[in-house]
C-alpha cells in the first residue's frame, strides 16, 4: 500500500494560483498513474484530472484550461497547477495512484479555499 505525501493548498483570492503536489515512494511514478479528485462541502467527490504512466493527461470540463497536471518522475511527484481559481474551486483535494494492486494508495486531503 502506497502512502502518498501531499502539499500545497491554502486560501487565495479569485484569480490567483496555487500548486498542489502529490509524492509517492521511489518508483511510484514508473508503475502508477495519478488521479486528482476534489470534494466540496455537501457535494459528491469529483474526478478532475489524471496523468498516466505514458504521460496522457485528462481534465474535467470544470477545470480544463485552468488546471495543469504534470509529473517529475525523478521525484515521483505529480503536480496540479491551478490558475485563475474561482470560488467554486473551493474543496478538499486529494490524489491517488492507479495501475493495479501495486498502486493502491492513500493520501491526506488538501484544503483549497478561494474567496471572491
Amino acid at each position: 500500500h502506497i502512502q502518498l505525501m501531499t502539499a500545497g493548498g491554502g486560501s487565495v483570492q479569485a484569480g490567483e494560483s496555487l500548486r498542489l503536489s502529490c509524492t509517492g515512494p521511489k518508483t511510484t511514478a514508473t508503475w502508477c498513474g495519478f488521479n486528482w479528485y476534489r470534494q466540496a462541502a455537501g457535494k459528491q467527490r469529483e474526478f478532475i484530472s489524471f496523468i498516466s504512466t505514458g504521460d496522457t493527461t485528462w481534465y474535467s470540463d470544470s477545470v480544463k484550461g485552468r488546471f495543469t497536471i504534470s509529473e517529475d518522475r525523478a521525484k515521483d511527484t505529480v503536480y496540479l497547477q491551478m490558475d485563475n481559481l474561482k470560488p467554486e474551486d473551493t474543496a478538499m483535494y486529494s490524489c491517488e495512484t492507479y495501475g493495479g494492486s501495486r498502486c493502491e494508495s492513500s493520501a491526506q486531503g488538501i484544503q483549497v479555499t478561494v474567496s471572491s
Side-chain angles (χ1 to χ4, degrees), residues 14-78:
E16 295 183 341
S17 299
L18 283 172
R19 188 177 78 161
L20 308 182
S21 65
C22 178
T23 302
K26 192 173 176 61
T27 73
T28 299
T30 300
W31 303 110
C32 308
F34 285 73
N35 295 330
W36 281 101
Y37 298 85
R38 67 184 181 186
Q39 187 166 20
K43 294 189 177 181
Q44 287 190 326
R45 191 188 194 198
E46 180 186 11
F47 179 30
I48 59 172
S49 185
F50 78 72
I51 185 165
S52 73
T53 55
D55 295 330
T56 298
T57 60
W58 172 88
Y59 303 93
S60 66
D61 288 342
S62 60
V63 307
K64 192 179 298 181
R66 300 186 299 120
F67 290 13
T68 304
I69 192 169
S70 63
E71 184 172 49
D72 184 338
R73 196 154 286 155
K75 296 181 179 179
D76 293 286
T77 297
V78 167

Side-chain angles (χ1 to χ4, degrees), residues 10-18 83-87 113-116:
S11 296
V12 296
Q13 298 287 318
E16 295 183 341
S17 299
L18 283 172
D83 297 320
N84 190 22
L85 283 162
K86 303 176 180 180
T113 303
V114 185
S115 55
S116 57

Side-chain angles (χ1 to χ4, degrees), residues 37-41 87-93 110-114:
Y37 298 85
R38 67 184 181 186
Q39 187 166 20
E88 52 263 44
D89 293 319
T90 296
M92 183 72 75
Y93 286 70
I110 311 168
Q111 180 64 42
V112 171
T113 303
V114 185

